[in-house]
């Protein structure tokens, strides 16, 4: 949602003492100079505001206050978690429940993460609780924004799903989520029994033709700034992305929900977030913009830690050079008979067979290495992860089954074996996209 947000200015105030915000959030960018806002009510540029956000140091912050001339801020409520929320491969369920009418101060603000209540003895590094019966600026007639502070800075970089705003009732996390009886994982209640109140809403983000549709009985209207891109990556089924937390030898940035490196223009290897040790798996990479340099690569690698100096440089790396007709393994190049260099707009499909210990590359849907390339058995190497390199000036975009290259949807929309992934070219029979449902199906059957 970076640089994209929703906004609405209520026609009348609701309950500014009692309310609930519930949302599923998957982060993308971390360690930003600015905070990233999930929800904010703001008058003017920065005079009166209430908010819930990720801080610049990755905690969850809750604030309500007034800014006056002379750079003086009067704080009405200010809490910040001790824990940092830096997992870009998972969804967080965050619930803020406020009722300032409560006699006990610690009952006035409650924060739940993945169903667990943050306690004041260990959960918050610092906190200023609101006085009894005090008003916040939530449910005021100020502009409320989902995914931004004031519409020009401090956007949420990531994805959101099932965002509820409740006017007049303080619910706990169990109203919106529950523990799966089979897996023990906290999951959404898709149709919770809640009362939304005057200014309440429910944003599912599931209608591709109307992404800002309010599914609550209020049917409120929002304004969307920027472009909301729909994703099949959900709290119930997480898809692989590129991993910004892996210990790289140099810095870099990612865009589009961590599916495209934006400034890796050296030999830096980039690893995916999900690894596998059995089964058959597939993903695609598109060359967008510049033609690939000699160090742009696509493949798989088995490694659990340590910085990647370059893709293809280790014993368990198998990476297709994009500029040449060969692949690299253990710092040694091997020719691929009949293969050719990639150009801008070409798509490399990469299939990994850990049952037969083979890897296959497909250029624009056509198999390049007939018969496949033999790889070291996964039992020896450990989990295999997607492994790519951007190259000098090239721009690669990965599709792990989400159905997009950057913000552009694939044109063919073919499916993997499970029917969960969406790809440009036909997926080889029996191969699956990298997502948690498929990994659970194949790895832990």
């Amino acid at each position: 949602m970076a640089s994209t947000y929703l906004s609405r200015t209520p026609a009348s105030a609701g309950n500014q003492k009692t309310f609930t915000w519930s949302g599923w959030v998957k982060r993308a960018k971390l360690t930003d100079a600015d905070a990233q806002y999930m929800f904010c009510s703001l008058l003017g540029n920065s005079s009166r505001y209430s908010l819930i956000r990720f801080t610049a140091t990755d905690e969850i912050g809750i604030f309500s206050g007034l800014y006056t001339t002379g750079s003086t801020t009067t704080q009405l409520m200010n809490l910040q978690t001790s824990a940092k929320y830096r997992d870009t491969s998972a969804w967080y369920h965050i619930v803020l429940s406020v009722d300032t009418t409560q006699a006990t101060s610690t009952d006035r603000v409650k924060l739940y993460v993945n169903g667990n209540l943050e306690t004041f003895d260990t959960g918050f590094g610092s906190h200023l609780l609101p006085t009894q019966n005090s008003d916040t600026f939530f449910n005021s007639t100020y502009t409320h924004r989902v995914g931004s502070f004031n519409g020009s800075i401090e956007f949420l970089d990531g994805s959101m799903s099932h965002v509820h705003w409740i006017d007049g009732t303080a619910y706990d996390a169990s109203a919106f989520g529950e523990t799966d009886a089979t897996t023990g994982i906290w999951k959404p209640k898709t149709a919770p029994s809640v009362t939304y109140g005057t200014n309440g809403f429910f944003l599912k983000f599931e209608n591709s033709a109307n992404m800002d549709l309010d599914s609550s009985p209020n049917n409120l209207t929002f304004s969307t700034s920027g472009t909301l891109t729909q994703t099949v990556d959900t709290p119930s089924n997480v898809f692989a992305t590129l991993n910004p937390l892996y210990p790289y030898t140099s810095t870099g940035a990612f865009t589009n929900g961590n599916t495209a490196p934006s400034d890796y223009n050296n030999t830096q290897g980039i690893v995916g977030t999900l690894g596998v040790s059995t089964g058959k798996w597939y993903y695609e990479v598109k060359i967008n913009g510049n033609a690939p340099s000699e160090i742009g690569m696509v493949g798989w690698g088995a490694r659990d830690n340590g910085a990647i100096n370059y893709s293809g440089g280790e014993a368990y790396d198998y990476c297709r050079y994009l500029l040449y007709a060969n692949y690299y393994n253990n710092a040694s190049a091997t020719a691929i008979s009949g293969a050719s260099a990639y150009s801008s707009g070409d798509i490399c499909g990469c299939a990994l067979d850990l049952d037969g210990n083979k890897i296959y590359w497909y250029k624009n849907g056509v198999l390049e290495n007939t018969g496949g390339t033999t790889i070291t058995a996964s039992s020896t190497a450990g989990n295999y992860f997607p492994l790519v390199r951007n190259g000098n000036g090239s721009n690669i975009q990965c599709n792990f089954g989400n159905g997009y290259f950057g913000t552009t949807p694939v044109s063919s929309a073919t499916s993997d074996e499970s029917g969960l992934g969406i790809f440009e070219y036909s997926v080889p029979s029996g191969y699956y996209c990298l997502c948690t449902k498929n990994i659970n199906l194949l790895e832990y059957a």
Side-chain angles (χ1 to χ4, degrees), residues 163-408:
V163 174
H164 298 268
W165 178 244
I166 306 297
D167 178 354
T169 308
Y171 290 104
D172 61 25
S174 64
F176 308 97
E178 59 188 348
T179 301
D180 188 279
T182 301
T183 65
I185 296 174
W186 187 255
K187 67 179 183 180
K189 290 182 178 178
T190 55
S193 179
V194 295
T195 301
Y196 287 92
T198 302
N199 290 311
F201 55 81
F202 178 16
L203 300 171
K204 294 183 180 181
F205 302 110
E206 69 173 4
N207 187 333
S208 59
N210 190 8
M211 287 284 285
D212 58 8
L213 174 69
D214 174 19
S215 296
S216 81
N218 289 331
N219 193 26
L220 302 179
T221 300
F222 288 82
S223 296
T224 298
S225 298
T227 302
L228 287 170
T229 302
Q230 193 174 47
T231 174
V232 294
D233 189 328
T234 68
S236 300
N237 189 26
V238 179
F239 279 70
T241 63
L242 301 176
N243 190 350
L245 296 180
Y246 203 86
Y248 297 113
T249 57
S250 64
T251 60
F254 298 92
T255 60
N256 303 121
N258 292 340
T259 60
S262 62
D263 62 0
Y264 280 99
N265 55 1
N266 51 33
T267 61
Q268 183 67 64
I270 308 170
V271 70
T273 54
L274 297 180
V276 289
S277 60
T278 62
K280 298 178 179 180
W281 307 94
Y282 179 84
Y283 74 100
E284 293 177 337
V285 173
K286 184 176 183 179
I287 312 305
N288 184 56
N290 297 322
S293 73
E294 63 176 287
I295 57 176
M297 303 177 90
V298 177
W300 296 79
R303 53 178 88 206
D304 295 323
N305 53 54
I308 299 175
N309 185 28
Y310 65 94
S311 304
E314 301 295 334
Y316 305 120
D317 291 356
Y318 299 88
C319 294
R320 169 74 166 89
Y321 260 122
L322 297 177
L323 188 61
Y324 301 111
N326 56 31
Y327 71 91
Y328 232 61
N329 165 248
N330 203 21
S332 178
T334 301
I336 301 175
S337 178
S340 59
Y342 282 69
S343 300
S344 180
D346 286 338
I347 294 173
C348 179
C350 196
L352 178 69
D353 177 4
L354 289 175
D355 298 329
N357 295 320
K358 295 276 190 176
I359 189 170
Y360 302 87
W361 289 280
Y362 295 80
K363 182 180 180 182
N364 299 327
V366 179
L367 178 63
E368 292 189 286
N369 55 330
T370 304
T373 297
T374 300
I375 66 172
T376 303
S378 59
S379 60
T380 302
N383 288 333
Y384 273 87
F385 295 82
L387 188 58
V388 300
R389 262 192 343 195
N390 196 28
N392 289 331
S394 64
N395 183 2
I396 63 173
Q397 298 171 330
C398 299
N399 173 24
F400 295 104
N402 256 317
Y404 284 84
F405 292 111
T407 58
T408 303

Side-chain angles (χ1 to χ4, degrees), residues 24-28 54 85-93 114 159 233-235 238-239 241 245 273-274 436:
W24 290 80
V25 183
K26 185 178 183 183
R27 303 196 69 189
F54 292 108
Y85 297 90
R86 295 174 52 81
D87 188 349
T88 60
S89 65
W91 287 81
Y92 293 112
H93 181 216
N114 296 337
S159 302
D233 189 328
T234 68
V238 179
F239 279 70
T241 63
L245 296 180
T273 54
L274 297 180
T436 52

Side-chain angles (χ1 to χ4, degrees), residues 78-120:
N78 191 1
L79 302 93
Q80 184 168 303
T81 61
S82 299
K84 296 179 182 291
Y85 297 90
R86 295 174 52 81
D87 188 349
T88 60
S89 65
W91 287 81
Y92 293 112
H93 181 216
I94 299 170
V95 177
L96 172 63
S97 180
V98 175
D99 184 358
T100 69
T101 68
Q102 294 295 317
T104 302
S105 62
T106 52
D107 288 338
R108 294 173 198 156
V109 181
K110 296 181 179 180
L111 177 70
Y112 302 83
V113 181
N114 296 337
N116 298 312
L117 175 65
E118 296 287 343
T119 58
F120 286 94

